[in-house]
Amino acid sequence: VSQLPSDPADFVGRDEVLTRAAALLRPAAPGPGAPPPVPGSPCAVPVVILTGLPGVGKTTLATRLAHLLRKSFPDGQLFLHLGGARRAPGAVLADLLLGLGVAGASIPESTVDRAALFRSLLSGRKVVVLLDDAQDEAQIRPLLPGTPGCAALVTSRARLAGLAAAHLIDVAPFDAGESEALLRRIAGGRRLAAEPEATERVLAGCAGLPLALRVIGARLASRPHWRVGRLADRLADEQGRLAELTVGDLAVRTCVATSYRSLTPDAARAFRAIGTLPAPEFPGWALAALLDSGDTDDTIDVLLDANLVQVVGVDDQGQPRYRMHDLLHVYATERALAEEPRPWRRAALARVLTGWLCRVRAAGDQLVRGGTDDRAGDLVGRLEGERTSLVTAVEFAAGSGYGTHAADLAAALEDICHLRNWWDEWDRVARAALDCARADGDLVAAAVAQGSLARALAARGRVDDALTRFTTAIDQLDELGEAHHAARLRIHRSFAIADRGMAGLAHDDAAAAAAVMGRLGDEHGRVLALRSLGFALLCQQRTAEAITTLEPALETAERLGRPLALADVLQALAVAEIGHGRLGRAARRLPRALTLFRTVRHRPGEAYALLTLGRLYNELGPDRASRALGPLGEAAEIFAELGEHRGAAFASYWLGRTHTALGDADRGRRHLTEALAGFRSLRMPFWADRAERETGGSARVGTPPGRPS
């Protein structure tokens, strides 16, 4: 037992927790009709337990709270640092009684009698007992006061959920504002303001952990000649970060190690296993894969109770997602490298990467098929919430000698990224797979990854860069005799360049790909090739040939039951039929295409279908033109949301045509001018010429070619 530590002068934040805990602990006058307290019962007083991960500032918070409550407990504050150790409650009670002035010879022998004497000494007094760093419920239950007017405040790394009537409060890491405020108080505001970028990096390295911030602040304060950037650079090295987070008797590693050493062997191995993951956030199945175990519930419960991991979400199937604090993850990585053999670590990570691959492939199948499986749930939506971890996993695999996993994951993700507009993720995954394949000397994988990167660039409007990469990849695959891979890339190149003044090359690409797909028996691939061929024909003003090409593709797509391929062909046919004057047929195809695009949640396809619907209303005559504004406006909103500049230019063009047809020449000209600027920046000469003629007030132009999704 000791005096309450001094009130920390550099205390910041925690207002909400302080207010809540103080309200729970303050003695309250019993209201009329309230049941009388049970004398001597440990449940007769308010008990607040502050719990949280190591170094999160539980003791500092409890100390501040106890000082704030001095007036509510005028008879004193008892502070007992339990140190997390499993001391027998009887021995702890002996220390308490000695601290309260009981002579050693007068201390009862039994724990029960000691607890009774302790409570009797506090009877009729207003005292708050602060029990710091408790290990479990059994350790603190006999130490609680038993009469009204007193209160108990407990800090623990464990959650101690088994203590009846106690109020459990989770103490979270600091937010950005609190972190900066604490560091400024310790290290000095001017110094940090002089190096704002370095300060941001230091704060990121401390990850909101008050102990880490205090260590860094103390190091800076004791080294006035150091630049903040110097410490920021040292913290950037993850392997040496914990060594930097040490000053005097303050050390993040020591704090975390205490919790780690208290774990059971199974939980300790799970802790180390999490340290092998490339990121501290992970889905629940990943731990089972790491440990090669079908049941990790008990193990994860131990880590949760020890505040070494937290639940950060639950998916639609009730499966949890976890996170380990960044600095705990650094320590877990240290322990894994020190205690687990390399073959075990590599096998564990290979199982996780295989688990990702299975889930990505299943989600891709569900996305292309449309809808969700009642038993499996929304697999694509589940991946949506794990995008960051998934991309990190691919980049880790590519850089850590898991080349096959990296290539397979990149290939499986390609269509998902395309359909769900994951442009940044697609770019990162393709580049990681490309770098890995080149490092491994795998020419086929390198060409495939190069082609995937070209698709990602084309989708973002960077067609010149995409064309260079497409050409390099296709030439390489032709040399290697990889006809199937080369044909697939020719389909995508054809689609990317057809309306960029290269319709001839686009036609040849698509025709060659269709022949290869037919020879290899890939019916789905042939549908895609014919769709691209139809689009190339449209860009050459050959609408009748486009219809002849797309009709058999429609029959095959219907038979294959591929909703996305079917929607693409329906959309292309509608464009061709508008150009050929078959407006009734186009009107029948577009609603179905729109429904299919929405079924597979392909937003660009949905927007292009809406765009074509608006064009159709324009072609149906002035009395129907007003109906074009709705779908065209909706398409414009989607294109803006997606950052799809090509689609935005088309939406502006057709909105301009529509407003002009409705007699609003000024608004029509504004939209057409926007379209002209867009087509020029995208290097689309056919459409730039049409928009320029429209803004110049020339005669009405017939329906030019358009692009399916």
Side-chain angles (χ1 to χ4, degrees):
V1 181
S2 63
Q3 294 293 320
L4 190 66
S6 60
D7 193 5
D10 55 13
F11 188 89
V12 299
R14 308 296 195 195
D15 294 339
E16 185 177 341
V17 174
L18 285 170
T19 300
R20 180 186 172 199
L24 292 169
L25 289 170
R26 282 193 180 97
V38 180
S41 168
C43 299
V45 300
V47 179
V48 168
I49 301 173
L50 302 177
T51 184
L53 58 88
V56 80
K58 300 180 291 294
T59 300
T60 302
L61 174 59
T63 302
R64 161 54 63 96
L65 182 58
H67 279 282
L68 291 176
L69 292 172
R70 278 185 179 276
K71 291 183 179 180
S72 298
F73 299 98
D75 295 320
Q77 298 85 28
L78 294 176
F79 177 82
L80 184 62
H81 180 63
L82 301 175
R86 183 175 280 281
R87 294 181 63 199
V92 177
L93 280 165
D95 289 343
L96 270 173
L97 293 171
L98 287 170
L100 289 170
V102 178
S106 300
I107 296 176
E109 292 187 14
S110 73
T111 299
V112 173
D113 289 340
R114 290 178 180 183
L117 177 57
F118 168 62
R119 291 180 184 127
S120 69
L121 290 172
L122 298 185
S123 179
R125 303 166 71 181
K126 292 185 176 181
V127 174
V128 62
V129 180
L130 200 170
L131 303 172
D132 183 46
D133 201 9
Q135 177 168 295
D136 56 28
E137 295 89 343
Q139 185 186 40
I140 63 173
R141 192 174 282 112
L143 311 178
L144 301 177
T147 54
C150 293
L153 179 58
V154 183
T155 73
S156 179
R157 303 174 191 219
R159 293 188 60 78
L160 305 187
L163 197 64
H167 302 279
L168 192 66
I169 297 179
D170 288 301
V171 181
F174 276 162
D175 61 26
E178 292 171 323
S179 296
E180 185 174 359
L182 178 58
L183 193 59
R184 283 180 178 276
R185 287 200 179 187
I186 301 173
R190 284 188 182 178
R191 190 173 179 187
L192 300 182
E195 298 181 66
E197 184 274 336
T199 298
E200 287 297 321
R201 289 194 287 134
V202 167
L203 292 171
C206 294
L209 198 67
L211 175 58
L213 291 161
R214 290 183 183 281
V215 169
I216 290 300
R219 293 192 71 186
L220 287 172
S222 65
R223 295 166 176 81
H225 59 288
W226 271 23
R227 291 180 58 82
V228 179
R230 175 180 178 179
L231 193 52
D233 292 340
R234 295 172 71 150
L235 283 174
D237 176 14
E238 191 168 284
Q239 292 185 348
R241 186 176 301 167
L242 292 182
E244 298 298 328
L245 294 174
T246 302
V247 61
D249 62 350
L250 294 178
V252 172
R253 180 186 281 113
T254 302
C255 181
V256 178
T258 300
S259 293
Y260 172 68
R261 287 194 296 267
S262 70
L263 295 173
T264 63
D266 286 346
R269 167 158 269 197
F271 180 82
R272 296 191 296 272
I274 295 168
T276 67
L277 292 171
E281 188 169 319
F282 57 96
W285 63 262
L287 182 58
L290 284 169
L291 299 176
D292 199 16
S293 171
D295 184 7
T296 58
D297 288 350
D298 291 344
T299 302
I300 199 69
D301 282 347
V302 173
L303 296 177
L304 287 168
D305 288 342
N307 278 303
L308 295 175
V309 296
Q310 287 82 39
V311 177
V312 293
V314 179
D315 66 24
D316 63 328
Q317 294 292 294
Q319 298 302 309
R321 184 171 187 78
Y322 302 101
R323 193 181 195 286
M324 180 178 281
H325 187 274
D326 292 356
L327 295 178
L328 268 66
H329 191 250
V330 171
Y331 181 77
T333 303
E334 281 188 2
R335 299 323 314 151
L337 291 172
E339 299 182 41
E340 298 292 357
R342 186 173 184 273
W344 184 90
R345 299 196 309 269
R346 288 195 63 81
L349 280 169
R351 288 192 295 271
V352 173
L353 293 172
T354 299
W356 274 123
L357 182 59
C358 291
R359 284 160 176 80
V360 170
R361 284 175 172 168
D365 288 344
Q366 187 181 83
L367 187 59
V368 172
R369 192 174 64 243
T372 60
D373 186 297
D374 289 340
R375 291 171 297 177
D378 182 7
L379 300 178
V380 182
R382 211 171 298 164
L383 276 189
E384 186 88 41
E386 297 183 349
R387 286 160 64 177
T388 301
S389 295
L390 182 52
V391 173
T392 300
V394 178
E395 291 177 332
F396 172 82
S400 304
Y402 297 88
T404 300
H405 285 93
D408 289 346
L409 277 166
L413 276 167
E414 189 172 337
D415 281 339
I416 293 177
C417 289
H418 168 60
L419 295 175
R420 297 309 296 269
N421 316 307
W422 296 359
W423 309 130
D424 290 342
E425 291 81 0
W426 191 356
D427 188 279
R428 287 173 57 186
V429 165
R431 290 182 189 276
L434 177 57
D435 291 343
C436 179
R438 284 173 171 170
D440 292 345
D442 189 333
L443 298 180
V444 174
V448 170
Q450 184 85 272
S452 181
L453 180 56
R455 283 191 71 191
L457 292 168
R460 304 185 90 161
R462 295 171 57 185
V463 176
D464 289 343
D465 192 2
L467 179 58
T468 300
R469 292 182 181 275
F470 270 131
T471 301
T472 300
I474 291 170
D475 290 348
Q476 182 73 62
L477 291 168
D478 284 342
E479 289 179 15
L480 295 169
E482 292 287 339
H484 198 198
H485 283 309
R488 190 173 68 87
L489 291 187
R490 281 191 167 90
I491 292 169
H492 298 310
R493 181 171 69 177
S494 170
F495 202 64
I497 66 175
D499 59 5
R500 309 296 174 107
M502 292 175 275
L505 175 58
H507 177 280
D508 294 345
D509 267 346
V516 170
M517 294 300 187
R519 186 175 73 249
L520 296 177
D522 184 345
E523 291 189 291
H524 180 246
R526 188 166 183 274
V527 168
L528 299 181
L530 291 176
R531 188 275 310 259
S532 286
L533 180 57
F535 179 48
L537 289 166
L538 281 171
C539 291
Q540 294 176 312
Q541 305 286 316
R542 297 157 66 180
T543 55
E545 292 175 73
I547 292 171
T548 302
T549 297
L550 291 167
E551 284 179 337
L554 179 62
E555 294 175 7
T556 305
E558 292 272 21
R559 178 167 50 79
L560 293 176
R562 297 285 193 110
L564 178 60
L566 182 57
D568 277 335
V569 176
L570 285 166
Q571 157 79 356
L573 260 175
V575 172
E577 287 165 344
I578 290 172
H580 207 59
R582 299 179 179 179
L583 303 185
R585 292 189 180 187
R588 289 192 294 273
R589 299 195 195 280
L590 281 173
R592 189 179 179 204
L594 187 57
T595 298
L596 288 169
F597 280 129
R598 286 171 172 165
T599 297
V600 296
R601 292 179 292 179
H602 185 30
R603 297 281 280 163
E606 177 185 356
Y608 276 107
L610 288 165
L611 183 74
T612 307
L613 189 59
R615 293 175 56 180
L616 176 63
Y617 287 133
N618 265 283
E619 293 299 320
L620 289 173
D623 58 324
R624 305 289 292 277
S626 62
R627 296 186 62 184
L629 293 176
L632 289 175
E634 192 176 346
E637 289 178 3
I638 295 175
F639 288 134
E641 171 194 325
L642 299 176
E644 223 282 29
H645 301 301
R646 182 188 179 283
F650 275 121
S652 293
Y653 178 84
W654 287 103
L655 281 167
R657 290 280 299 269
T658 303
H659 284 297
T660 300
L662 293 172
D664 191 342
D666 288 341
R667 183 176 293 183
R669 189 174 296 107
R670 285 198 300 272
H671 280 296
L672 288 167
T673 301
E674 290 175 4
L676 176 58
F679 291 139
R680 282 176 173 169
S681 69
L682 293 167
R683 299 176 62 180
M684 298 172 65
F686 179 95
W687 286 96
D689 178 62
R690 295 302 186 269
E692 187 171 19
R693 291 174 60 187
E694 292 283 341
T695 56
S698 63
R700 188 171 184 274
V701 179
T703 304
R707 180 182 189 178
S709 71

